[in-house]
């Protein structure tokens, strides 16, 4: 009998064999976890396990969407989206309506905090999705009035995602609410350099984003009495939206030598204030459709 | 009544011995501890998600417990042969069925009370509070929902072994949770025979959504009116009693074979 067989039979018959088996399993699991940890840091595993990564990524994204939807339900007071029903007033439905109220409500103020744990989980499931970061930082800076935490959330977004102009734009918006105009301008410049990030420059969302950036930049330049640069900004906006009468009128005023820095401040204040109230929800319960613009910036020009 | 109480007491002793409820309580506690430890963007003061997940787990665990305990009562008695001395006593099969049902129902309710207490303590530790009228109403309606679940378990176990009865109970109650409230949406997208079948399912399956107050409790909508509360309880009682009568009708003429006991 070979030496190996002798040792094997001795161990197998020993009273300690279950414990030895347990130790062996633990060592195997530990060494596998070390290998996985180093593979994820070096990124070497990503080429070898493409399918596995794809599945994990897809599951993470799907979960993230579901968790963001849950946060939306919380925003609406726990009332989920209503689908079209063939009957609405049977006995059980009438009782159930009392148990679980329906209707259209929104959380306000400090209560918005209750949606955050679901957004937090959504961010953990899909750290590359900037939408959740933008929504959370918006609510934290407005409803909770915690600008510092909002900036920290955007900092985390920068760490976890690719550089994106919308993150810088949101940062600039928060600085504007804090009346930190210099920091806001720096963030806007960064956003303009990053535009359009991964969006198609001809896409509507990218164009609207660029116009928003240029408009705020123009107003900041007016406030700083830098008329020439303000005019240059407005001309850039007109190239994108040539039919915008508001911008044309503003350009005329500046070219005539008017110095409306007070008006610029008022408009900027209005835009900042309007942004806070411009989160519009369109829930059409009768048709069972839901068009929820949770993070929408509207600028009156 | 004394005979029914005695049968119920035996069920209680068995549940205490088997420790099912303790395991679920520990699991719930572990899950709540994980939730409480989340650092959500460095902010504090959020409690609704703890209430939501806690109550969902309480419903889930109590559902599993009620289904498991109720579906094994009668098959276990038959398998071990204790059904013979039991029915040899002046105990009718109806009293036997009702005793088993009352025992499993009250045991499941007590376990649920432990779950609710734990959730309330953890929520309070995080700085949140429950509206007492709402949570008391919610708990009572939850108990009556458990009455229906245990009745289904007893009904299934009169003609199946414990594993099959457990599976069938889970399937029927899960379908009631998931399908019944959505039949009105499904019918809107269906037609013909499918719509008729869905309508039949709507009227046959129990409706647990009329006993589920979680949304009101979590999002602070306050208690429900007395009328609605009593109506919901009446529905649950009628449903439970109907199912128990069906169980008795299924069991009253059942013949036992001693050769099957040890097989």
């Amino acid at each position: 009998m070979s030496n190996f067989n002798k040792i094997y039979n001795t161990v197998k018959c020993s009273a300690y064999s279950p414990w030895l088996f347990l130790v062996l399993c633990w060592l195997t699991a530990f060494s596998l976890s070390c290998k996985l940890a180093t593979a994820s840091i070096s990124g070497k595993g990503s080429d070898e396990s493409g399918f596995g990564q794809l599945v994990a990524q897809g599951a993470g994204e799907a979960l993230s969407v579901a968790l963001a939807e849950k946060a939306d339900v919380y925003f609406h007071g726990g009332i989920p989206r209503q689908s079209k029903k063939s009957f609405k007033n049977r006995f059980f439905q009438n009782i159930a309506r009392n148990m679980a109220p329906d209707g259209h409500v929104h959380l306000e103020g400090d209560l918005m905090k209750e949606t955050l744990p679901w957004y937090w989980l959504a961010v953990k499931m899909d750290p590359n999705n900037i939408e959740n970061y933008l929504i959370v930082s918006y609510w934290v800076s407005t409803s909770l009035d915690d600008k510092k935490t909002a900036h920290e959330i955007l900092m985390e977004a920068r760490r976890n995602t690719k550089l994106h102009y919308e993150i810088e734009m949101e940062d600039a918006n928060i600085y504007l609410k804090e009346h930190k105009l210099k920091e806001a301008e720096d963030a806007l410049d960064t956003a303009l350099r990053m535009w359009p990030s991964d969006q198609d420059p001809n896409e509507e969302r990218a164009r609207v984003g660029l116009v928003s950036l240029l408009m705020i930049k123009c107003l900041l330049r007016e406030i700083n009495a830098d008329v020439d640069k303000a005019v240059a900004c407005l001309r850039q906006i007109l190239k994108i939206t040539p039919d915008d009468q508001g911008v044309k009128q503003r350009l005329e005023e500046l070219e005539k030598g008017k110095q409306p820095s007070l008006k610029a401040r008022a408009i900027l204040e209005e835009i900042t204030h309007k942004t806070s109230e411009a989160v519009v929800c369109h829930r059409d319960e009768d048709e069972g459709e839901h068009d929820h613009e949770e993070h929408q910036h509207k600028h009156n020009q | 009544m004394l005979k029914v109480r005695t049968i119920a007491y035996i069920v209680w002793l068995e549940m205490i011995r088997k420790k099912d409820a303790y395991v679920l309580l520990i699991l719930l506690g572990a899950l709540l501890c994980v939730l409480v430890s989340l650092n959500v963007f460095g902010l504090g003061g959020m409690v609704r998600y703890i209430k939501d997940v806690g109550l969902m787990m309480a419903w889930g665990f109590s559902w599993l417990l009620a289904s498991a305990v109720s579906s094994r009562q009668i098959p276990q008695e038959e398998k071990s042969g204790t059904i013979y001395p039991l029915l040899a006593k002046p105990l009718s099969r109806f009293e036997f069925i009702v005793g088993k049902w009352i025992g499993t129902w009250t045991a499941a309710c007590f376990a649920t009370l432990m779950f609710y207490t734990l959730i309330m303590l953890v929520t309070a530790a995080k700085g949140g509070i429950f509206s007492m009228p709402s949570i008391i109403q919610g708990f009572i309606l939850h108990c009556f929902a458990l009455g229906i679940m245990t009745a289904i378990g007893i009904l299934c176990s009169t003609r199946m072994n414990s594993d099959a009865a457990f599976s069938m109970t889970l399937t029927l109650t899960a379908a009631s949770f998931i399908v019944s409230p959505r039949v009105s949406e499904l019918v809107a997208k269906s037609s013909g025979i499918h719509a008729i079948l869905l309508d039949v399912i709507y009227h046959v399956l129990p409706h647990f959504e009329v006993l589920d107050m979680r949304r009101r409790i979590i999002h602070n909508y306050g208690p429900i009116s007395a009328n609605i509360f009593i109506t919901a309880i009446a529905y649950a009682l009628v449903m439970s009693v109907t199912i128990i009568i069906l169980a008795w009708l299924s069991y009253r003429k059942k013949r036992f074979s001693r050769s099957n006991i040890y097989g």
Side-chain angles (χ1 to χ4, degrees):
Chain A
M1 195 190 267
S2 70
N3 286 336
F4 173 76
N5 281 339
K6 280 182 194 170
I7 296 167
Y8 175 72
N9 285 331
T10 310
V11 168
K12 195 174 146 191
C13 299
S14 148
Y16 294 109
S17 61
W19 292 106
L20 286 170
F21 180 69
L22 195 63
V23 168
L24 188 66
C25 285
W26 186 86
L27 282 171
T28 310
F30 181 71
S31 49
L32 277 173
S33 67
C34 290
K35 184 173 175 6
L36 284 167
T38 49
S40 68
I41 290 167
S42 66
K44 282 181 188 171
S46 57
D47 295 330
E48 295 152 18
S49 58
F51 179 71
Q53 205 173 18
L54 203 64
V55 169
Q57 196 179 342
E61 284 173 7
L63 266 172
S64 178
V65 167
L67 289 162
E69 182 65 34
K70 181 78 175 176
D72 183 63
V73 169
Y74 265 54
F75 174 66
H76 286 94
I79 300 165
R81 295 176 191 224
Q82 303 296 317
S83 303
K84 189 179 169 189
K85 294 182 169 68
S86 65
F87 49 85
K88 290 182 187 178
N89 292 310
R90 290 197 187 175
F91 171 74
F92 297 118
Q93 288 168 311
N94 290 334
I95 306 276
R97 213 171 281 125
N98 283 277
M99 296 297 166
D102 54 13
H104 194 175
V105 295
H106 286 167
L107 290 187
E108 289 175 353
D110 210 44
L111 283 177
M112 274 305 299
K113 223 187 259 189
E114 300 292 355
T115 64
L116 297 183
W118 302 106
Y119 280 122
W120 184 85
L121 286 167
V123 157
K124 293 298 171 198
M125 288 298 119
D126 187 9
N128 298 319
N129 183 355
I130 67 160
E131 283 298 322
N132 293 328
Y133 292 107
L134 295 176
I135 291 170
V136 171
S137 69
Y138 174 80
W139 286 122
V140 167
S141 67
T142 52
S143 293
L144 303 183
D145 200 26
D146 187 347
K147 312 287 193 285
K148 182 169 174 282
T149 304
H151 284 302
E152 284 168 9
I153 291 165
L154 292 174
M155 190 65 72
E156 189 182 334
R158 287 186 192 98
R159 277 196 297 271
N160 293 336
T161 64
K162 287 185 284 191
L163 298 175
H164 206 288
Y165 80 92
E166 284 181 317
I167 297 174
E168 307 307 322
M169 189 161 86
E170 185 61 30
D171 215 18
N173 280 330
I174 298 170
Y175 280 127
L176 285 174
K177 286 170 198 165
E178 292 176 289
H179 302 288
K180 292 180 180 175
L181 301 185
K182 177 76 179 68
E183 287 87 343
E185 194 163 353
D186 291 341
L188 281 171
D189 289 335
T190 310
L192 281 165
R193 279 197 297 275
M194 288 182 188
W195 185 90
S197 302
D198 58 358
Q199 291 173 354
D200 182 351
N202 297 319
E203 193 192 320
E204 179 65 20
R205 182 170 167 166
R207 287 156 54 85
V208 166
L210 181 61
V211 166
S212 301
L213 288 170
L214 290 170
M215 176 52 77
I216 297 176
K217 188 109 178 106
C218 164
L219 290 168
L220 285 172
R221 281 171 177 172
E222 285 183 42
I223 289 170
N224 292 336
D226 196 345
V227 179
D228 293 335
K229 286 185 180 171
V231 165
C233 250
L234 287 171
R235 289 213 172 105
Q236 257 185 297
I237 294 173
L238 278 177
K239 281 183 194 169
I240 302 164
T241 53
D243 299 327
D244 196 324
Q245 297 303 320
V247 172
K248 281 182 185 169
Q249 189 185 346
R250 192 119 192 96
L251 187 60
E252 274 176 32
E253 286 175 359
L254 288 176
E255 283 174 340
K256 280 175 189 170
K258 290 186 180 177
Q259 299 284 340
S261 64
L262 283 174
K263 193 176 177 185
R265 274 191 194 277
I267 292 174
L268 198 60
E269 194 65 35
E270 193 186 327
I271 287 173
T272 308
H273 183 67
K274 260 219 176 308
T275 302
S276 302
E277 293 181 357
V279 177
V280 179
C281 172
H282 301 286
R283 248 193 189 188
D284 192 338
E285 291 180 36
D286 290 338
E287 292 177 9
E289 289 173 1
H290 178 67
D291 177 15
H292 190 170
E293 297 168 42
E294 215 176 12
H295 189 73
Q296 179 185 3
H297 294 272
K298 288 182 179 172
H299 301 279
N300 267 350
Q301 296 179 358
Chain B
M1 200 59 210
L2 180 64
K3 297 169 196 171
V4 168
R5 267 201 345 237
T6 308
I7 300 290
Y9 179 64
I10 294 168
V11 174
W12 268 82
L13 290 177
E14 187 229 3
M15 202 180 102
I16 291 167
R17 184 176 57 83
K18 287 227 167 170
K19 304 179 184 63
D20 297 331
Y22 312 140
V23 169
L24 292 173
L25 188 67
I26 290 167
L27 272 174
L28 179 63
L31 182 69
L32 290 173
C33 285
V34 168
L35 286 178
V36 163
S37 66
L38 293 183
N39 179 8
V40 179
F41 301 118
L43 299 166
M46 292 150 275
V47 292
R48 283 190 191 183
Y49 74 106
I50 299 174
K51 292 181 189 177
D52 194 344
V53 176
L55 287 174
M56 184 178 69
M57 288 291 116
W59 271 80
F61 288 163
S62 63
W63 168 56
L64 286 173
L65 186 69
S67 303
V69 172
S70 61
S71 57
R72 70 177 176 229
Q73 292 303 313
I74 296 174
Q76 225 168 40
E77 299 275 7
E78 290 177 3
K79 193 175 172 185
S80 61
T82 50
I83 191 72
Y84 295 100
L86 206 55
L87 293 179
K89 296 190 185 345
L91 174 75
S92 69
R93 293 200 183 189
F94 180 73
E95 286 166 337
F96 174 70
I97 294 279
V98 171
K100 286 293 185 186
W101 174 54
I102 299 279
T104 53
W105 182 18
T106 51
C109 290
F110 183 71
T112 306
L113 180 63
M114 289 198 294
F115 298 155
Y116 271 65
T117 307
L118 181 61
I119 293 164
M120 287 171 70
L121 286 172
V122 171
T123 306
K126 196 76 165 120
I129 50 166
F130 282 94
S131 156
M132 286 313 290
S134 299
I135 193 78
I136 289 170
Q137 279 185 333
F139 171 70
I140 290 170
L141 291 177
H142 188 170
C143 288
F144 279 95
L146 291 174
I148 299 174
M149 290 178 212
T150 48
I152 293 173
I154 296 284
L155 170 61
C156 295
S157 65
T158 54
R159 289 286 164 177
M160 300 173 196
N161 65 24
S162 58
D163 294 331
F166 180 50
S167 305
M168 187 57 77
T169 307
L170 286 181
T171 306
L172 283 172
T173 46
S176 302
F177 268 116
I178 296 166
V179 175
S180 286
R182 285 167 184 75
V183 164
S184 61
E185 293 159 22
L186 296 170
V187 167
K189 297 171 191 169
S190 313
S191 59
I193 190 76
H194 294 122
I196 295 170
L197 275 172
L198 284 168
D199 221 14
V200 168
I201 289 171
Y202 184 79
H203 288 96
V204 166
L205 285 179
H207 285 259
F208 291 111
E209 73 272 18
V210 306
L211 301 164
D212 184 2
M213 267 185 71
R214 281 178 296 151
R215 194 190 295 172
R216 284 198 87 93
I217 294 169
I218 294 162
H219 297 281
N220 298 328
Y221 283 106
I224 50 175
S225 67
N227 279 345
I228 301 293
F229 184 61
I230 291 166
T231 308
I233 290 174
Y235 164 73
L237 278 173
V238 166
M239 197 76 198
S240 305
V241 167
T242 306
I243 297 171
I244 286 299
I245 289 173
L246 285 172
W248 170 62
L249 290 172
S250 166
Y251 201 62
R252 64 184 180 139
K253 295 273 195 266
K254 184 176 177 185
R255 293 176 182 277
F256 306 110
S257 165
R258 280 198 181 266
S259 62
N260 290 339
I261 293 172
Y262 303 109

